[in-house]
Each structure stands twice: as C-alpha cells, then as structure tokens.
Amino acid sequence: MMNIRDAVETDLSAILAITNHAILVTTAMWSVTPVDLEGRTEWWRQLVSRNFPVLVAEINGEVIGFGSYGSFRPFEGYAHTVEHRVYVAPSVHRRGAGAVLLRALIDRAIAAGIHVMIGAIDAENEASLALHRRFGFVETGRMPEVGRKFDRWLDLVLMQKILGR
Ligand SMILES: CC(C)(COP(=O)(O)OP(=O)(O)OC[C@H]1O[C@@H](n2cnc3c(N)ncnc32)[C@H](O)[C@@H]1OP(=O)(O)O)[C@@H](O)C(=O)NCCC(=O)NCCS
C-alpha cells in the first residue's frame, strides 16, 4: 500500500540513504561527495521554509522514495518556474512510486500557482526521460558534455511542462 505525504524530520535518514546511493552509484545525480544527515536536514529546512514541498512515498510505513521542487534560478523573474526531482530506492523501481510522486508534485505546483516545471535529466537516464514524457514533459534543451562523473562527459536534457496560462 503506497502513501504519499509531506516529509518530516525523521524521514531524512531514509532520504539520505536514497540520495547517497544516487550519488555514489549512478549518474542520475551529478554530485560525487556523499551528503550527511546535517546537510540533508538543512536542505529540507531551506525548502520547507520557502513553502516548497518535500514529499515522501512510503510502502507499509517504510520511506522508499522522495520528490521535491525548488527555485529553477535565483532571480525574481523565475519565480513561477521550479526545478523538481524524484528519487526512488532501486529495490522498488518500476512499481509506480516515481509516477505517484511526480503526479503529487505537479498537483502541488498547480495549487501553488507555478507556471512551469523543469526536470534536469542525464541524457542516458531513460527511466526518468520516459517517466517525464508520460506526464507530458517535453524536451526543451539538450546540453552536450556539461557534466562529468565517473571519468566521462555527461549530456543534460531539460524537460519542461507548462502547467497553466
Ligand atoms: C526515474 C525513477 C524516479 C522512476 O521511478 P519508478 O518508481 O521506478 O517509476 P514508475 O514505476 O513510477 O514508472 C512510471 C513510468 O516511468 C517510465 N519508466 C520508469 N522506469 C523505466 C525504465 N527503467 N525504463 C523505461 N521507462 C521507465 C515508464 O513509462 C513507467 O510507466 P510503466 O511502468 O507503466 O511503463 C527511478 O528510476 C529513479 O529513482 N531513478 C534514479 C533517480 C533518478 O533518475 N531520478 C530522476 C532525476 S530527475
């Protein structure tokens, strides 16, 4: 039974484990240095204090994924655009959590009057590209070799969805 809710401070160790797996093992996130609980707590506090959502997905009470959005760029003109991210623990990939989290983020963004959502996605991340396409996101940017991890260049794909007029 999957449940989506706002993250609370006690969820941050589960969020930390999912984040650090993505950092250490994948190119889904382009950081290379693991984060610690203090860092994740500060990240959560910053987002929540600015009324941005941090959501968790849980199955049988266990946090198995999270999603959030925040500023796209820190200038007033971008106030109606957000960049989001969704991460699901590998052991439960392809069981619908990513879709439920992204749907919930879109609903929150619409309710908050956000105009555009942007996902910044590694061009090789077919799972994320397919997930976003399924929700009506379209590719609006492709930036060759702007990232580097695991000794190779990475291309960035920007996918966006206009939520309202
Ligand atoms: C991308 C990610 C969030 C998808 O989460 P998930 O819970 O596995 O995805 P879901 O089961 O909800 O799948 C929803 C849809 O996404 C697409 N999708 C998901 N995984 C896919 C894969 N491996 N290959 C192709 N399409 C995939 C499909 O369209 C799928 O619908 P379907 O199962 O009915 O065909 C997950 O793979 C993940 O956490 N990856 C690592 C972190 C990451 O890449 N985050 C995105 C950065 S923005």
Side-chain angles (χ1 to χ4, degrees):
M1 189 62 190
M2 193 164 339
N3 181 39
I4 303 286
R5 58 172 174 77
D6 286 282
V8 294
E9 194 158 355
T10 49
D11 295 323
L12 291 169
S13 55
I15 290 175
L16 178 71
I18 295 167
T19 305
N20 279 337
H21 178 274
I23 290 174
L24 292 168
V25 180
T26 80
T27 53
M29 193 181 275
W30 291 357
S31 313
V32 291
T33 310
V35 288
D36 60 15
L37 194 55
E38 199 180 323
R40 276 285 93 170
T41 305
E42 185 54 28
W43 164 84
W44 171 74
R45 283 211 179 105
Q46 290 280 341
L47 287 171
V48 170
S49 72
R50 297 170 63 203
N51 287 324
F52 290 129
V54 179
L55 305 179
V56 290
E58 53 183 7
I59 296 178
N60 299 328
E62 185 192 348
V63 171
I64 50 84
F66 70 93
S68 68
Y69 64 70
S71 298
F72 173 56
R73 303 191 76 200
F75 308 107
E76 291 93 332
Y78 292 103
H80 299 281
T81 297
V82 293
E83 181 181 341
H84 66 280
R85 68 285 307 174
V86 173
Y87 286 86
V88 174
S91 59
V92 292
H93 277 179
R94 216 63 199 262
R95 288 203 223 158
V100 176
L101 280 163
L102 185 52
R103 176 76 260 162
L105 287 175
I106 293 169
D107 289 347
R108 288 292 185 97
I110 290 170
I114 299 298
H115 187 55
V116 174
M117 291 178 75
I118 295 177
I121 303 167
D122 176 5
E124 294 175 0
N125 189 347
E126 195 42 53
S128 183
L129 295 172
L131 170 68
H132 283 82
R133 271 185 232 115
R134 191 175 135 181
F135 279 87
F137 284 76
V138 294
E139 179 177 327
T140 49
R142 184 170 282 258
M143 306 170 81
E145 302 188 5
V146 293
R148 191 169 176 85
K149 189 170 179 181
F150 302 146
D151 285 330
R152 57 195 179 82
W153 300 113
L154 301 172
D155 299 349
L156 186 70
V157 174
L158 298 175
M159 294 192 77
Q160 80 171 62
K161 182 178 174 73
I162 298 180
L163 300 177
R165 297 287 157 192

